[in-house]
Amino acid sequence: MGTITTMTIDMRTATEDGGVDGDAPPPGLPRQWGRGFDTLPTRGEGWGGETGAPQAHNPPPQLAMMWLSSPALPVGGFSYSEGLEAAVDAGLVTDEAQTLAWLRGQLQLTLARSELPAACAAHTAWAAADCAALQAIQTWVLATRETFELRQQSQQMGRSMLEWLRNLRPDHPALPLAAQLEPAPAWPLAFALAGLALGLDAEQMAHALAFSWLENQVQAALRAVPLGQSAGQRLLAALAPDIPATVAQARKLQDHMDGWQSFSPLLAILSSRHETQYSRLFRS
């Protein structure tokens, strides 16, 4: 017992009156990035704390991008295949080669001309607190989701991302503005806001969004086609190099909403069929 007591006291920090503070971190605990104090961040203090609160800086951009594109982000992306499961059921995607062609088509023809330019434009609008621009982007995104499942996905993931941001940064100045987008910011707008809150510029945010989409789609293919883990890695190796050009195309379109488009009739048909598909693993 004496040894246990000694170890416990050694891990505490002495206070000025000679007592011990059981809430203090162990000696030598690494500081948070940019923090001028040795305590762990509490609720509301996360990276990028506001002026007047204990200052805490954002993580380096590379880590912020990995954070936002991580499948561990609690937004439910893993539960959607975005029409891929219906394509498998229809016999259009049955192996690795067909999966590669399907995903490349979705990346270049849909994501590059719809989700990504909308997200980049939203990033600019969030930074400028431009409510009218945000409302216009929100209206466009929801109007161009061609099926109930795709619209529900964008709304649910956007709502979950906003809740994540509220927990991380409850005092973020854009949250009152986000509340004006009913029922919640759609997925591209919510992702753009999260990227801005973590200190990413529009291009960095768009790369994170594109890779997040790609990784979720590859994971869906592993289960739906099905494919092996090695095949999934080959798909990522083949498609990840397409992302910079896809983002560059989206950046050119971001200020020209009349150039955005989500015209993908086969995807819309498959998504509609998926709503009544007999056996389903995914919500879209």
Side-chain angles (χ1 to χ4, degrees):
M1 288 296 292
T3 301
I4 294 175
T5 302
T6 301
M7 290 176 63
T8 301
I9 293 176
D10 286 344
M11 292 183 67
R12 296 179 175 183
T13 302
T15 61
E16 292 181 358
D17 61 2
V20 291
D21 179 5
D23 293 328
L29 184 72
R31 296 185 178 188
Q32 295 294 314
W33 285 298
R35 295 178 69 88
F37 44 89
D38 290 322
T39 58
L40 290 172
T42 60
R43 181 179 176 87
E45 277 185 22
W47 284 302
E50 300 303 321
T51 302
Q55 184 62 40
H57 297 296
N58 287 316
Q62 296 91 336
L63 291 182
M65 293 168 69
M66 287 190 284
W67 192 359
L68 287 181
S69 62
S70 169
L73 203 68
V75 296
F78 67 91
S79 63
Y80 299 101
S81 79
E82 301 187 27
L84 175 59
E85 186 175 32
V88 172
D89 186 68
L92 299 175
V93 178
T94 62
D95 57 23
E96 182 179 338
Q98 291 176 336
T99 303
L100 176 61
W102 172 271
L103 295 182
R104 178 162 280 143
Q106 296 304 315
L107 179 65
Q108 296 177 349
L109 300 177
T110 302
L111 207 71
R113 298 186 290 184
S114 175
E115 301 268 321
L116 287 178
C120 290
H123 187 282
T124 300
W126 286 119
D130 190 339
C131 185
L134 289 167
Q135 189 61 63
I137 298 167
Q138 170 91 344
T139 299
W140 187 92
V141 170
L142 295 182
T144 55
R145 305 308 92 175
E146 296 185 283
T147 66
F148 172 77
E149 286 188 346
L150 295 177
R151 183 184 179 105
Q152 184 183 51
Q153 174 183 344
S154 188
Q155 291 178 319
Q156 180 272 304
M157 291 180 65
R159 185 170 59 250
S160 296
M161 178 65 94
L162 185 61
E163 184 61 26
W164 174 83
L165 182 58
R166 284 195 184 108
N167 289 328
L168 183 72
R169 296 282 306 280
D171 298 323
H172 193 279
L175 290 178
L177 189 59
Q180 299 181 39
L181 300 178
E182 297 181 348
W187 174 239
L189 288 87
F191 197 99
L193 176 56
L196 181 67
L198 289 184
L200 298 180
D201 62 30
E203 187 150 339
Q204 293 165 337
M205 176 278 303
H207 277 83
L209 177 56
F211 188 80
S212 173
W213 174 87
L214 177 58
E215 188 169 39
N216 277 328
Q217 286 291 286
V218 168
Q219 288 290 342
L222 297 189
R223 289 177 282 171
V225 176
L227 299 172
Q229 295 289 332
S230 295
Q233 291 303 304
R234 288 192 294 269
L235 289 171
L236 287 174
L239 291 167
D242 293 356
I243 289 178
T246 301
V247 171
Q249 181 182 356
R251 295 278 282 156
K252 291 178 181 178
L253 289 173
Q254 73 176 76
D255 296 326
H256 308 284
M257 189 180 289
D258 57 349
W260 305 358
Q261 64 91 14
S262 62
F263 182 70
S264 47
L266 180 57
L267 177 62
I269 292 169
L270 290 171
S271 179
S272 296
R273 290 179 177 176
H274 187 265
E275 294 177 11
T276 57
Q277 188 171 309
Y278 175 72
S279 178
R280 295 179 294 174
L281 293 173
F282 299 94
R283 300 172 65 183
S284 72

